[in-house]
Amino acid sequence: MVNKFKTVCLTAAIASSSATFAGGLLTNTNQHVAFNRMMSREASIGIDGVYYNPAGVVFMGEGSHLALNWQMAYQTRTIKNDYKLFTNNVNNPTTPRDFKGKAFAPVIPSFQYAYNKGRWSLQGNFALTGGGGKCTFDNGLGSFEKIVGETAMGAIGLAGAIDNALGAEMFTSDQAFGKKGSYSFNSYMHGRQYYFGLSAGAAYKVNDNFSVYAGLRGIYATCNYYGYVEDIKVGNMPLYQVLDPSKENSANIELSCDQSGIGFTPMLAVDYKTGRWNFSAKYEFKTRMRLKNKSVNQLPSIGNLDDNLKNQMNKVLTAKFMQAGLPQEQAMIKAEQTSTAVLANPTVVATTAGLKQQFDSKINKAIGEYADGKKIAGDIPSLLTVGVGYSPIDELHINVGFHWFDDYNATSYNNRNKLLKKRGTLEFNAGVEYDVTKKITVSTGWQNTNYGLTDKYMDDKSFVVGSNSVGLGGVYHITKKLDFTVAYFHTFYNHVKTSETVTLAPGVSNNYNSDYTRNNNAFAAGVNITF
């Protein structure tokens, strides 16, 4: 029963690793304020093109171009779980139940720089290419509580086997585990993930219409996960009393893990201009990323379960036999003989052996991703973007774009990426901007994100859902060489519902239902400078 807690706590840290921003599973695409206000920037010619359309930047005027950006993002993640065992929670006996996580990133900086001279454009970009914030689940996750409830049922099953062999009520008494499977516990989860990206590259203008680009991005990933499941009680008995009664924290699970890693992303791009049309394409190769763990984790042990159960029984039986009139020494001997016989009962032996076998077989999986000193896979997928821009009049610019993230072939821990559909993530966007006056430009845009999700991939420890995002904003052209931009975008997320059948015992099963969704808001401001 204890190993299930370990599995949940250790893997649940990934709940906060999903990107706060737009993009694929591990890729942020809003790296300039212009994206927040227009969404579709793949075919635009501007300093933000250092990320979106690097080959097109060479068509800007000669000189140095610099963009400084600030973004703030706030996101909530809500999972509604419906599970019959939740009604056994003495502190909140309701189902369905909402589990909410809050992710807040108050300061997300980025900058783009380009130096254009002749046919060449030398470029650099710094931004958060993945992650981008912190996420906290103050009350843990539904999967935490699901396992707590199932553990409580397992505990009363073991208690019943012992008491049946004993022929008296001990562990199934109301003062111990009881018979109902009621439980209580405290849990918490907090995670932080930042993938800092610094790129350098060069574009070359082959002729007045066509340009090419090649570059390389270096990525430094830093992540931290902290969480716990503690004060676990089944009925009126704290769980630690059957694991190690000398230590009140012996049944607690605590995760404290730092991860870091370095990766490199080669990039290629092209741009073609003709009349009022512009066409662009960019390809980012897969980034091989291996994250090194530094962990201080506290894990319970089930190895002394027999001895601790025996000690518990000896104390109770000794007191009982002494009350019946036996001297203390004889009462202790009889208690020892009785408890030994009970624990040797075939049903009890089978029950405890099953728990230990399950623990031993899954301990590696439980420690898994967050074991100290281990390197784990966390690749960033390859990315293809295509954009088309058209200006029917000088003041009006219309863009459409497409993104393809090859998430299926980006290796993650235990090859979880193979649970996705092979097609990967698809994004479609469109945007329009209009020069109201020589001083003011307004814009708006839309983007649809469609992940290649499957029911097997979805769980509250790491989930994404498809969405539609809209953005709007404006640019104030302070001078010919200085622009100030503000923007806001909101994401409307879909709901994804899943259901699984959980077998608690032969002939006994319940449905565990989940409804996943998110809510996201982002604000941004920045300046573009030419000098």
Side-chain angles (χ1 to χ4, degrees), residues 124 245 247 253 333 358 373 480:
K247 298 178 181 178
I253 305 98
I333 293 174
Q358 188 183 47
K480 290 184 178 180

Side-chain angles (χ1 to χ4, degrees), residues 249-289:
N249 65 348
S250 62
N252 293 350
I253 305 98
E254 181 175 321
L255 167 69
S256 181
C257 178
D258 291 304
Q259 294 179 333
S260 60
I262 296 175
F264 297 93
T265 310
M267 300 173 290
L268 300 173
V270 295
D271 187 271
Y272 180 73
K273 292 168 54 67
T274 176
R276 291 186 174 274
W277 291 88
N278 190 57
F279 304 89
S280 72
K282 180 183 70 168
Y283 184 76
E284 298 184 359
F285 291 82
K286 181 177 74 172
T287 307
R288 185 183 185 276
M289 183 73 71

Side-chain angles (χ1 to χ4, degrees), residues 242 303-312 314 343 356:
V242 294
N304 295 325
L305 179 60
D306 283 346
D307 290 340
N308 288 324
L309 287 171
K310 187 174 183 180
N311 290 337
Q312 289 280 334
N314 285 345
L343 293 175
K356 291 178 181 179

Side-chain angles (χ1 to χ4, degrees), residues 215-232:
L216 181 69
R217 179 187 299 123
I219 297 174
Y220 172 70
T222 175
C223 314
N224 171 264
Y225 306 110
Y226 175 76
Y228 58 77
V229 177
E230 62 182 18
D231 301 329
I232 305 160

Side-chain angles (χ1 to χ4, degrees), residues 82 107 202 270 334 463:
D82 187 7
V107 179
V270 295
K334 187 174 181 180
F463 79 90

Side-chain angles (χ1 to χ4, degrees), residues 96-125:
R97 187 95 52 74
D98 283 346
F99 296 86
K100 291 186 177 181
K102 297 179 181 179
F104 180 54
V107 179
I108 305 120
S110 66
F111 74 81
Q112 292 79 34
Y113 173 78
Y115 174 71
N116 288 4
K117 183 68 175 178
R119 291 184 176 273
W120 289 93
S121 175
L122 305 179
Q123 304 171 23
N125 177 52

Side-chain angles (χ1 to χ4, degrees), residues 443-464:
S443 60
T444 187
W446 157 86
Q447 178 168 275
N448 173 266
T449 301
N450 191 332
Y451 300 103
L453 302 174
T454 64
D455 286 349
K456 290 184 178 180
Y457 184 86
M458 294 296 293
D459 63 55
D460 60 2
K461 295 175 289 297
S462 178
F463 79 90
V464 292

